Amino acid sequence: MKLKDKLRDLSAHKTGLLATNYYNLETLHGVLRAAQQTGDPIILQLTQSSIDYMGLNTAVAMGREGLKQFGVEGWIHLDHGGSVELAQRCLDAGFDSVMIDGSELPFSENVKITQEVVQRAKSYGAHVEAELGFVAKLGQSHAHNGFTQPHEAKQFVEETGVDALAISIGTAHGFYKEEPKLQIDLLKSIEAEVASATFVLHGSSGVPESQLRAAIQYGICKVNLATEIKNIFMKTLQDILTQNEEIDLRKVFPKATNAVTELVKGKLDIVNNR
């Protein structure tokens, strides 16, 4: 099934689709084992830094083979693509979906760059995500609240024809210094204005379960998870390495991979309204 159709179907049933970043074979397998055990579909995401680290063709091949190996329904997505050129490379490499992130550009420039990617993606049958509003990235202040405005979201989607829109309703990338408070009423207003796109929540790491469930009930369909995956993998690995002198990574990494699996299983339960 095409990703656009899947998101539409899930949104109608007030459930979501978890989108997980992967950084190496171990985090990929940790994510896929969770989806295999729960029987849920999943989106596998790659950022430019992960593509640079693993190599574009290697990263995509790992994702495709992993989905096949674990028997999981899934899609490969470019997360936070910063240029038309990167989006094009990913489309050529067979990505099912690409994000073009012009959220820090003026509105008109964000529209223009998104229109370009939407047009290019058509011949590939690929899904396109964009972002409107300010969702703080790693290293940026969380104090700036550039929430997505309903009328702007409506205009943006109508002018670009984008399939999915990442919106700012109170989340940020990375960990939070204090508990976030999602603007659910704002989400309801955005959903009432925009009928032709599904909605994406970036920065879900650290958002309380009750707020994630509420966001999904009122319009969020795709939920991104990245920081918690990196954190639990590395923290588990660090704990293991301080307790033994094992040099065989094949014996050390599985425990960290299992920690990723347990984390993702819990998130899948939330996103799928269980």
Side-chain angles (χ1 to χ4, degrees):
M1 182 183 290
K2 292 285 188 180
L3 181 55
K4 180 178 181 178
D5 297 330
K6 189 70 174 184
L7 287 169
R8 284 275 178 207
D9 180 62
L10 292 172
S11 184
H13 290 88
K14 300 299 182 182
T15 57
L17 190 55
L18 189 65
T20 57
N21 289 53
Y22 65 101
Y23 309 93
N24 57 8
L25 182 69
E26 287 72 29
T27 50
L28 173 64
H29 280 192
V31 165
L32 289 173
R33 188 171 292 117
Q36 180 189 54
Q37 291 177 9
T38 61
D40 295 312
I42 203 156
I43 297 174
L44 300 175
Q45 300 195 145
L46 291 162
T47 60
Q48 180 164 359
S49 56
S50 293
I51 289 169
D52 292 343
Y53 176 67
M54 290 183 278
L56 179 58
N57 292 331
T58 297
V60 175
M62 284 170 56
R64 289 279 178 231
E65 185 58 33
L67 290 168
K68 184 190 304 182
Q69 176 184 341
F70 286 87
V72 171
E73 181 185 17
W75 300 265
I76 297 178
H77 171 74
L78 169 64
D79 188 27
H80 286 290
S83 68
V84 173
E85 292 72 25
L86 177 59
Q88 183 64 60
R89 286 179 59 210
C90 291
L91 290 169
D92 289 339
F95 278 55
D96 302 292
S97 177
V98 293
M99 179 188 183
I100 181 67
D101 184 1
S103 59
E104 295 185 41
L105 299 172
F107 183 87
S108 61
E109 293 182 31
N110 192 358
V111 167
K112 184 177 179 181
I113 196 174
T114 302
Q115 287 174 332
E116 176 68 20
V117 173
V118 168
Q119 188 61 38
R120 292 186 182 214
K122 285 181 180 178
S123 63
Y124 296 84
H127 177 269
V128 179
E129 176 184 329
E131 184 172 313
L132 184 66
F134 180 79
V135 181
K137 296 179 174 62
L138 292 174
Q140 292 180 324
S141 171
H142 293 194
H144 175 60
N145 293 324
F147 295 138
T148 306
Q149 298 305 306
H151 68 283
E152 288 190 342
K154 182 176 186 291
Q155 180 183 351
F156 185 88
V157 170
E158 288 177 349
E159 291 188 14
T160 62
V162 74
D163 299 304
L165 186 65
I167 56 176
S168 172
I169 57 170
T171 58
H173 296 91
F175 285 121
Y176 298 91
K177 294 181 179 178
E178 58 186 36
E179 183 176 300
K181 293 180 173 58
L182 301 191
Q183 306 296 304
I184 300 299
D185 287 342
L186 175 59
L187 171 59
K188 293 178 185 178
S189 297
I190 295 171
E191 185 187 32
E193 288 284 340
V194 180
S196 59
T198 50
F199 300 112
V200 182
L201 186 71
H202 284 230
S204 77
S205 293
V207 175
E209 177 179 336
S210 60
Q211 294 192 46
L212 283 179
R213 289 186 182 276
I216 293 165
Q217 284 299 304
Y218 292 107
I220 291 295
C221 189
K222 176 175 176 279
V223 177
N224 284 21
L225 180 70
T227 301
E228 282 188 86
I229 292 175
K230 287 187 291 188
N231 182 70
I232 200 165
F233 183 84
M234 290 303 297
K235 293 297 185 184
T236 303
L237 196 58
Q238 289 166 359
D239 288 344
I240 294 168
L241 292 175
T242 59
Q243 296 173 19
N244 66 67
E245 297 182 359
E246 179 63 64
I247 64 167
D248 190 340
L249 56 86
R250 295 166 298 182
K251 295 180 180 179
V252 175
F253 279 180
K255 291 183 180 179
T257 300
N258 290 341
V260 171
T261 296
E262 292 306 308
L263 167 72
V264 174
K265 282 170 62 178
K267 299 294 183 179
L268 284 167
D269 284 344
I270 296 170
V271 169
N272 287 279
N273 196 27
R274 290 194 289 267

